[in-house]
Amino acid sequence: MADFPKTADCVIIGGGIIGASIAYELSKKNIKNIVVVEKNTVGSGSTGRCGGGIRAQWSTPENVKLAMASVKRFRELEEELASVTEYEEGGYLILAHSDTEMNQFRENVLMQKKHGLEVEILTAEETKKIVPLINTEKITGATWCSTDGSINPFLINFAYMKNAMDKGVSLFTRTEVLSIKTGDSKITGVSTTRGEISSPVVVNAAGGYAGFVGSTAGLNLPLTPHRHEILATEQVNRFFRNMIMSFEYNIYFRQVKDGGIVGGQTNPGEKPGTEVNSGIAFLKEMSVKLNHFIPALGNVKILRQWAGLYCMSPDAQPILGEISGLAGYFHACGFSGHGLMLAPRVSVLMANTITDPSFSDPDLERLGIDRFEKGIVAHEKSVV
Ligand SMILES: Cc1cc2nc3c(=O)[nH]c(=O)nc-3n(C[C@H](O)[C@H](O)[C@H](O)COP(=O)(O)OP(=O)(O)OC[C@H]3O[C@@H](n4cnc5c(N)ncnc54)[C@H](O)[C@@H]3O)c2cc1C
C-alpha cells in the first residue's frame, strides 16, 4: 500500500458503490490526487449486503429520472469498466392487492410514462404469464417495466473502484475518518485513524454512518440508519428473471443467476440504529410470504441471512451536492433502499458539481439539503 498521504485535492469518505462510483467519475475529470478512505473494506457496508435490484418504477419524478439515466449508464458500464457485473434487464413486477393500491399505481405509471419510461399495467392473469408459478389469489394486478433489472452489487462496486485506481485514485481501507476538519466556513481536511489529510474538498459517502460523519463537521443532517434483513436460498432451476415486489406485503425477491432466491423485507417497528444482526422472526415472516407468493418454493432451503443499513432521509430520497456555508463539503447520502441503482447517474452529477462550480442540473438542485426548508420534494412512497 502507498504511503499515507498528507494532502489531497479531494477526499471521499466511504468505499461503497457511491464513494467508488464518484471516485471513478472524478478520475475522468481534471482533478488529481483523489483519496478514498474506507473504514473496513470495499463493499463491506450496505452495498455488499443489498438485493441488487434496479428499477425506475418510483413515485417521485426525481427518482424516476435518476434511475432511468442510471439504466442507460448500467448498459455501458460492463464495456467501459472492462468487468463482468451480471447486469441483467429481467424486469420488475410490482404487485397491487387492492383497487386503492392499483389507483395509486396508475398515477405513478402516468408520471413515469411522462418521463419516457416504458411501463405497463397488468391484470392478475397477465402477471401470471410473466411468472407462471406465482399465486395470484390476493393480487389485483401489477405494474411491469421490462427494462428494470438487477446487478451483482459486489462486482459493480469492485469494478468502479478498480477502474478509479487504474486512473490514479488512492484507496486506503481499514482507515476510519474520525472527523472532518473545517475553518473559516470551509473544509480543510480530515482526521483519520492513520493521520490527517489536508484537502479543500470532502465527499460524505459514508452510507449508514453519513449522519455521524457529517456531525463531525458540525452538521446536523436529517439522516437515520435503519437495519434491513435479507436472505438467500439454495439454488433451484431458474424459473423467473425479474424482481417481484409487494408494498402491501412489504417484500421483494428475485432469483439470481445461479438459481438462489434473494429477498428481504422492512421489519415493522425497526428502530434507528447501526446494529446489523439478523434474527429468527425475519426468517419466519419471509418464509411465510415467499411460500404464499410462490407455493412451489415450499421445500426450498434457506442457506443464509444477513442485514445491512438503509440510510434514511425524511423523504426517502438522496441528499446530494454542496451545503451553503461550508465550502468544499459535498453530500452523497440518504439513499434509503435505492443507492445501488442510482449510483451511475448520481456519480456523474456529483463529479460535475465538484469540479465545476457553474454546473447546474434540476435534479441535483431539487435533491439538495435545503429542500427540507423549501419543502419542494414529495415523499417517495414506493419503498420496501
Ligand atoms: C438489505 C438491503 C437491501 C437493499 N437492496 C437494494 C436494492 O435492491 N437496490 C438498490 O439500489 N439498493 C438497495 N439497498 C440500498 C443500497 O444498499 C444502498 O443505498 C447503497 O449501497 C448505498 O451505498 P453507499 O456507498 O452510500 O453506502 P455503503 O455501501 O454503506 O458504503 C459506505 C461506506 O462508508 C464506510 N464508512 C462509514 N463511516 C466511515 C468513516 N467514518 N470512515 C471511513 N469509512 C466509513 C463504510 O464502511 C462503508 O463501506 C439495499 C440495502 C439493504 C441494507
mmCIF file with all atom_site columns, all heavy atoms in Angstrom, residues 345-362:
data_model
loop_
_atom_site.group_PDB
_atom_site.id
_atom_site.type_symbol
_atom_site.label_atom_id
_atom_site.label_alt_id
_atom_site.label_comp_id
_atom_site.label_asym_id
_atom_site.label_entity_id
_atom_site.label_seq_id
_atom_site.pdbx_PDB_ins_code
_atom_site.Cartn_x
_atom_site.Cartn_y
_atom_site.Cartn_z
_atom_site.occupancy
_atom_site.B_iso_or_equiv
_atom_site.pdbx_formal_charge
_atom_site.auth_seq_id
_atom_site.auth_comp_id
_atom_site.auth_asym_id
_atom_site.auth_atom_id
_atom_site.pdbx_PDB_model_num
ATOM 1   N N   . ARG A 1 345 ? -25.889 7.435  -12.207 1.00 0.00 ? 345 ARG A N   1
ATOM 2   C CA  . ARG A 1 345 ? -26.252 8.813  -12.561 1.00 0.00 ? 345 ARG A CA  1
ATOM 3   C C   . ARG A 1 345 ? -25.772 9.808  -11.490 1.00 0.00 ? 345 ARG A C   1
ATOM 4   O O   . ARG A 1 345 ? -25.217 10.863 -11.801 1.00 0.00 ? 345 ARG A O   1
ATOM 5   C CB  . ARG A 1 345 ? -27.771 8.924  -12.729 1.00 0.00 ? 345 ARG A CB  1
ATOM 6   C CG  . ARG A 1 345 ? -28.262 10.315 -13.021 1.00 0.00 ? 345 ARG A CG  1
ATOM 7   C CD  . ARG A 1 345 ? -27.702 10.854 -14.324 1.00 0.00 ? 345 ARG A CD  1
ATOM 8   N NE  . ARG A 1 345 ? -28.179 12.206 -14.603 1.00 0.00 ? 345 ARG A NE  1
ATOM 9   C CZ  . ARG A 1 345 ? -27.616 13.011 -15.491 1.00 0.00 ? 345 ARG A CZ  1
ATOM 10  N NH1 . ARG A 1 345 ? -26.561 12.614 -16.176 1.00 0.00 ? 345 ARG A NH1 1
ATOM 11  N NH2 . ARG A 1 345 ? -28.101 14.216 -15.703 1.00 0.00 ? 345 ARG A NH2 1
ATOM 12  N N   . VAL A 1 346 ? -25.990 9.425  -10.220 1.00 0.00 ? 346 VAL A N   1
ATOM 13  C CA  . VAL A 1 346 ? -25.597 10.319 -9.128  1.00 0.00 ? 346 VAL A CA  1
ATOM 14  C C   . VAL A 1 346 ? -24.099 10.622 -9.202  1.00 0.00 ? 346 VAL A C   1
ATOM 15  O O   . VAL A 1 346 ? -23.667 11.763 -9.002  1.00 0.00 ? 346 VAL A O   1
ATOM 16  C CB  . VAL A 1 346 ? -25.968 9.678  -7.758  1.00 0.00 ? 346 VAL A CB  1
ATOM 17  C CG1 . VAL A 1 346 ? -25.206 10.338 -6.615  1.00 0.00 ? 346 VAL A CG1 1
ATOM 18  C CG2 . VAL A 1 346 ? -27.473 9.785  -7.528  1.00 0.00 ? 346 VAL A CG2 1
ATOM 19  N N   . SER A 1 347 ? -23.284 9.619  -9.512  1.00 0.00 ? 347 SER A N   1
ATOM 20  C CA  . SER A 1 347 ? -21.831 9.834  -9.523  1.00 0.00 ? 347 SER A CA  1
ATOM 21  C C   . SER A 1 347 ? -21.421 10.811 -10.620 1.00 0.00 ? 347 SER A C   1
ATOM 22  O O   . SER A 1 347 ? -20.519 11.625 -10.434 1.00 0.00 ? 347 SER A O   1
ATOM 23  C CB  . SER A 1 347 ? -21.094 8.503  -9.680  1.00 0.00 ? 347 SER A CB  1
ATOM 24  O OG  . SER A 1 347 ? -21.567 7.812  -10.809 1.00 0.00 ? 347 SER A OG  1
ATOM 25  N N   . VAL A 1 348 ? -22.116 10.753 -11.772 1.00 0.00 ? 348 VAL A N   1
ATOM 26  C CA  . VAL A 1 348 ? -21.812 11.700 -12.852 1.00 0.00 ? 348 VAL A CA  1
ATOM 27  C C   . VAL A 1 348 ? -22.184 13.117 -12.396 1.00 0.00 ? 348 VAL A C   1
ATOM 28  O O   . VAL A 1 348 ? -21.402 14.072 -12.549 1.00 0.00 ? 348 VAL A O   1
ATOM 29  C CB  . VAL A 1 348 ? -22.577 11.311 -14.142 1.00 0.00 ? 348 VAL A CB  1
ATOM 30  C CG1 . VAL A 1 348 ? -22.485 12.406 -15.185 1.00 0.00 ? 348 VAL A CG1 1
ATOM 31  C CG2 . VAL A 1 348 ? -22.040 9.993  -14.701 1.00 0.00 ? 348 VAL A CG2 1
ATOM 32  N N   . LEU A 1 349 ? -23.373 13.252 -11.803 1.00 0.00 ? 349 LEU A N   1
ATOM 33  C CA  . LEU A 1 349 ? -23.804 14.584 -11.332 1.00 0.00 ? 349 LEU A CA  1
ATOM 34  C C   . LEU A 1 349 ? -22.858 15.116 -10.271 1.00 0.00 ? 349 LEU A C   1
ATOM 35  O O   . LEU A 1 349 ? -22.482 16.293 -10.281 1.00 0.00 ? 349 LEU A O   1
ATOM 36  C CB  . LEU A 1 349 ? -25.229 14.507 -10.756 1.00 0.00 ? 349 LEU A CB  1
ATOM 37  C CG  . LEU A 1 349 ? -26.359 14.209 -11.740 1.00 0.00 ? 349 LEU A CG  1
ATOM 38  C CD1 . LEU A 1 349 ? -27.690 14.070 -11.001 1.00 0.00 ? 349 LEU A CD1 1
ATOM 39  C CD2 . LEU A 1 349 ? -26.463 15.308 -12.797 1.00 0.00 ? 349 LEU A CD2 1
ATOM 40  N N   . MET A 1 350 ? -22.457 14.242 -9.350  1.00 0.00 ? 350 MET A N   1
ATOM 41  C CA  . MET A 1 350 ? -21.568 14.678 -8.267  1.00 0.00 ? 350 MET A CA  1
ATOM 42  C C   . MET A 1 350 ? -20.209 15.100 -8.818  1.00 0.00 ? 350 MET A C   1
ATOM 43  O O   . MET A 1 350 ? -19.651 16.121 -8.410  1.00 0.00 ? 350 MET A O   1
ATOM 44  C CB  . MET A 1 350 ? -21.395 13.557 -7.223  1.00 0.00 ? 350 MET A CB  1
ATOM 45  C CG  . MET A 1 350 ? -22.621 13.258 -6.399  1.00 0.00 ? 350 MET A CG  1
ATOM 46  S SD  . MET A 1 350 ? -23.176 14.640 -5.373  1.00 0.00 ? 350 MET A SD  1
ATOM 47  C CE  . MET A 1 350 ? -21.764 14.871 -4.306  1.00 0.00 ? 350 MET A CE  1
ATOM 48  N N   . ALA A 1 351 ? -19.662 14.320 -9.742  1.00 0.00 ? 351 ALA A N   1
ATOM 49  C CA  . ALA A 1 351 ? -18.347 14.665 -10.307 1.00 0.00 ? 351 ALA A CA  1
ATOM 50  C C   . ALA A 1 351 ? -18.432 16.002 -11.029 1.00 0.00 ? 351 ALA A C   1
ATOM 51  O O   . ALA A 1 351 ? -17.517 16.832 -10.936 1.00 0.00 ? 351 ALA A O   1
ATOM 52  C CB  . ALA A 1 351 ? -17.872 13.561 -11.248 1.00 0.00 ? 351 ALA A CB  1
ATOM 53  N N   . ASN A 1 352 ? -19.554 16.240 -11.726 1.00 0.00 ? 352 ASN A N   1
ATOM 54  C CA  . ASN A 1 352 ? -19.713 17.519 -12.424 1.00 0.00 ? 352 ASN A CA  1
ATOM 55  C C   . ASN A 1 352 ? -19.775 18.682 -11.439 1.00 0.00 ? 352 ASN A C   1
ATOM 56  O O   . ASN A 1 352 ? -19.127 19.707 -11.630 1.00 0.00 ? 352 ASN A O   1
ATOM 57  C CB  . ASN A 1 352 ? -20.992 17.512 -13.272 1.00 0.00 ? 352 ASN A CB  1
ATOM 58  C CG  . ASN A 1 352 ? -20.825 16.671 -14.520 1.00 0.00 ? 352 ASN A CG  1
ATOM 59  O OD1 . ASN A 1 352 ? -19.707 16.381 -14.940 1.00 0.00 ? 352 ASN A OD1 1
ATOM 60  N ND2 . ASN A 1 352 ? -21.932 16.258 -15.109 1.00 0.00 ? 352 ASN A ND2 1
ATOM 61  N N   . THR A 1 353 ? -20.558 18.518 -10.385 1.00 0.00 ? 353 THR A N   1
ATOM 62  C CA  . THR A 1 353 ? -20.740 19.658 -9.476  1.00 0.00 ? 353 THR A CA  1
ATOM 63  C C   . THR A 1 353 ? -19.476 19.905 -8.632  1.00 0.00 ? 353 THR A C   1
ATOM 64  O O   . THR A 1 353 ? -19.168 21.051 -8.284  1.00 0.00 ? 353 THR A O   1
ATOM 65  C CB  . THR A 1 353 ? -22.016 19.494 -8.616  1.00 0.00 ? 353 THR A CB  1
ATOM 66  O OG1 . THR A 1 353 ? -22.326 20.749 -8.036  1.00 0.00 ? 353 THR A OG1 1
ATOM 67  C CG2 . THR A 1 353 ? -21.884 18.473 -7.524  1.00 0.00 ? 353 THR A CG2 1
ATOM 68  N N   . ILE A 1 354 ? -18.726 18.842 -8.338  1.00 0.00 ? 354 ILE A N   1
ATOM 69  C CA  . ILE A 1 354 ? -17.486 19.021 -7.552  1.00 0.00 ? 354 ILE A CA  1
ATOM 70  C C   . ILE A 1 354 ? -16.430 19.771 -8.380  1.00 0.00 ? 354 ILE A C   1
ATOM 71  O O   . ILE A 1 354 ? -15.706 20.613 -7.866  1.00 0.00 ? 354 ILE A O   1
ATOM 72  C CB  . ILE A 1 354 ? -16.948 17.643 -7.076  1.00 0.00 ? 354 ILE A CB  1
ATOM 73  C CG1 . ILE A 1 354 ? -17.880 17.063 -6.004  1.00 0.00 ? 354 ILE A CG1 1
ATOM 74  C CG2 . ILE A 1 354 ? -15.514 17.759 -6.534  1.00 0.00 ? 354 ILE A CG2 1
ATOM 75  C CD1 . ILE A 1 354 ? -17.631 15.591 -5.688  1.00 0.00 ? 354 ILE A CD1 1
ATOM 76  N N   . THR A 1 355 ? -16.375 19.474 -9.677  1.00 0.00 ? 355 THR A N   1
ATOM 77  C CA  . THR A 1 355 ? -15.291 20.045 -10.488 1.00 0.00 ? 355 THR A CA  1
ATOM 78  C C   . THR A 1 355 ? -15.683 21.354 -11.182 1.00 0.00 ? 355 THR A C   1
ATOM 79  O O   . THR A 1 355 ? -14.817 22.060 -11.672 1.00 0.00 ? 355 THR A O   1
ATOM 80  C CB  . THR A 1 355 ? -14.833 19.043 -11.577 1.00 0.00 ? 355 THR A CB  1
ATOM 81  O OG1 . THR A 1 355 ? -15.984 18.600 -12.298 1.00 0.00 ? 355 THR A OG1 1
ATOM 82  C CG2 . THR A 1 355 ? -14.123 17.857 -10.962 1.00 0.00 ? 355 THR A CG2 1
ATOM 83  N N   . ASP A 1 356 ? -16.996 21.648 -11.236 1.00 0.00 ? 356 ASP A N   1
ATOM 84  C CA  . ASP A 1 356 ? -17.417 22.837 -11.978 1.00 0.00 ? 356 ASP A CA  1
ATOM 85  C C   . ASP A 1 356 ? -18.456 23.613 -11.168 1.00 0.00 ? 356 ASP A C   1
ATOM 86  O O   . ASP A 1 356 ? -19.634 23.246 -11.150 1.00 0.00 ? 356 ASP A O   1
ATOM 87  C CB  . ASP A 1 356 ? -18.003 22.395 -13.334 1.00 0.00 ? 356 ASP A CB  1
ATOM 88  C CG  . ASP A 1 356 ? -18.538 23.564 -14.140 1.00 0.00 ? 356 ASP A CG  1
ATOM 89  O OD1 . ASP A 1 356 ? -18.394 24.723 -13.697 1.00 0.00 ? 356 ASP A OD1 1
ATOM 90  O OD2 . ASP A 1 356 ? -19.105 23.309 -15.218 1.00 0.00 ? 356 ASP A OD2 1
ATOM 91  N N   . PRO A 1 357 ? -18.049 24.696 -10.512 1.00 0.00 ? 357 PRO A N   1
ATOM 92  C CA  . PRO A 1 357 ? -18.985 25.458 -9.666  1.00 0.00 ? 357 PRO A CA  1
ATOM 93  C C   . PRO A 1 357 ? -20.179 26.007 -10.449 1.00 0.00 ? 357 PRO A C   1
ATOM 94  O O   . PRO A 1 357 ? -21.217 26.292 -9.854  1.00 0.00 ? 357 PRO A O   1
ATOM 95  C CB  . PRO A 1 357 ? -18.132 26.612 -9.124  1.00 0.00 ? 357 PRO A CB  1
ATOM 96  C CG  . PRO A 1 357 ? -16.718 26.256 -9.413  1.00 0.00 ? 357 PRO A CG  1
ATOM 97  C CD  . PRO A 1 357 ? -16.696 25.265 -10.532 1.00 0.00 ? 357 PRO A CD  1
ATOM 98  N N   . SER A 1 358 ? -20.043 26.130 -11.776 1.00 0.00 ? 358 SER A N   1
ATOM 99  C CA  . SER A 1 358 ? -21.165 26.690 -12.536 1.00 0.00 ? 358 SER A CA  1
ATOM 100 C C   . SER A 1 358 ? -22.116 25.587 -13.023 1.00 0.00 ? 358 SER A C   1
ATOM 101 O O   . SER A 1 358 ? -23.138 25.862 -13.646 1.00 0.00 ? 358 SER A O   1
ATOM 102 C CB  . SER A 1 358 ? -20.647 27.491 -13.740 1.00 0.00 ? 358 SER A CB  1
ATOM 103 O OG  . SER A 1 358 ? -20.031 26.596 -14.648 1.00 0.00 ? 358 SER A OG  1
ATOM 104 N N   . PHE A 1 359 ? -21.769 24.300 -12.742 1.00 0.00 ? 359 PHE A N   1
ATOM 105 C CA  . PHE A 1 359 ? -22.625 23.202 -13.216 1.00 0.00 ? 359 PHE A CA  1
ATOM 106 C C   . PHE A 1 359 ? -23.989 23.276 -12.544 1.00 0.00 ? 359 PHE A C   1
ATOM 107 O O   . PHE A 1 359 ? -24.087 23.493 -11.333 1.00 0.00 ? 359 PHE A O   1
ATOM 108 C CB  . PHE A 1 359 ? -21.971 21.848 -12.901 1.00 0.00 ? 359 PHE A CB  1
ATOM 109 C CG  . PHE A 1 359 ? -22.837 20.675 -13.283 1.00 0.00 ? 359 PHE A CG  1
ATOM 110 C CD1 . PHE A 1 359 ? -22.977 20.291 -14.609 1.00 0.00 ? 359 PHE A CD1 1
ATOM 111 C CD2 . PHE A 1 359 ? -23.540 19.963 -12.310 1.00 0.00 ? 359 PHE A CD2 1
ATOM 112 C CE1 . PHE A 1 359 ? -23.795 19.224 -14.961 1.00 0.00 ? 359 PHE A CE1 1
ATOM 113 C CE2 . PHE A 1 359 ? -24.359 18.895 -12.649 1.00 0.00 ? 359 PHE A CE2 1
ATOM 114 C CZ  . PHE A 1 359 ? -24.475 18.518 -13.983 1.00 0.00 ? 359 PHE A CZ  1
ATOM 115 N N   . SER A 1 360 ? -25.028 23.105 -13.338 1.00 0.00 ? 360 SER A N   1
ATOM 116 C CA  . SER A 1 360 ? -26.354 23.057 -12.710 1.00 0.00 ? 360 SER A CA  1
ATOM 117 C C   . SER A 1 360 ? -27.195 21.965 -13.377 1.00 0.00 ? 360 SER A C   1
ATOM 118 O O   . SER A 1 360 ? -27.058 21.693 -14.578 1.00 0.00 ? 360 SER A O   1
ATOM 119 C CB  . SER A 1 360 ? -27.030 24.424 -12.782 1.00 0.00 ? 360 SER A CB  1
ATOM 120 O OG  . SER A 1 360 ? -27.833 24.512 -13.902 1.00 0.00 ? 360 SER A OG  1
ATOM 121 N N   . ASP A 1 361 ? -27.983 21.317 -12.562 1.00 0.00 ? 361 ASP A N   1
ATOM 122 C CA  . ASP A 1 361 ? -28.863 20.250 -13.039 1.00 0.00 ? 361 ASP A CA  1
ATOM 123 C C   . ASP A 1 361 ? -30.109 20.288 -12.164 1.00 0.00 ? 361 ASP A C   1
ATOM 124 O O   . ASP A 1 361 ? -29.998 20.351 -10.931 1.00 0.00 ? 361 ASP A O   1
ATOM 125 C CB  . ASP A 1 361 ? -28.152 18.897 -12.901 1.00 0.00 ? 361 ASP A CB  1
ATOM 126 C CG  . ASP A 1 361 ? -29.073 17.744 -13.252 1.00 0.00 ? 361 ASP A CG  1
ATOM 127 O OD1 . ASP A 1 361 ? -29.811 17.267 -12.353 1.00 0.00 ? 361 ASP A OD1 1
ATOM 128 O OD2 . ASP A 1 361 ? -29.087 17.352 -14.425 1.00 0.00 ? 361 ASP A OD2 1
ATOM 129 N N   . PRO A 1 362 ? -31.309 20.266 -12.778 1.00 0.00 ? 362 PRO A N   1
ATOM 130 C CA  . PRO A 1 362 ? -32.523 20.417 -11.962 1.00 0.00 ? 362 PRO A CA  1
ATOM 131 C C   . PRO A 1 362 ? -32.683 19.337 -10.888 1.00 0.00 ? 362 PRO A C   1
ATOM 132 O O   . PRO A 1 362 ? -33.106 19.628 -9.766  1.00 0.00 ? 362 PRO A O   1
ATOM 133 C CB  . PRO A 1 362 ? -33.653 20.333 -12.989 1.00 0.00 ? 362 PRO A CB  1
ATOM 134 C CG  . PRO A 1 362 ? -33.038 19.985 -14.292 1.00 0.00 ? 362 PRO A CG  1
ATOM 135 C CD  . PRO A 1 362 ? -31.572 20.185 -14.208 1.00 0.00 ? 362 PRO A CD  1
#
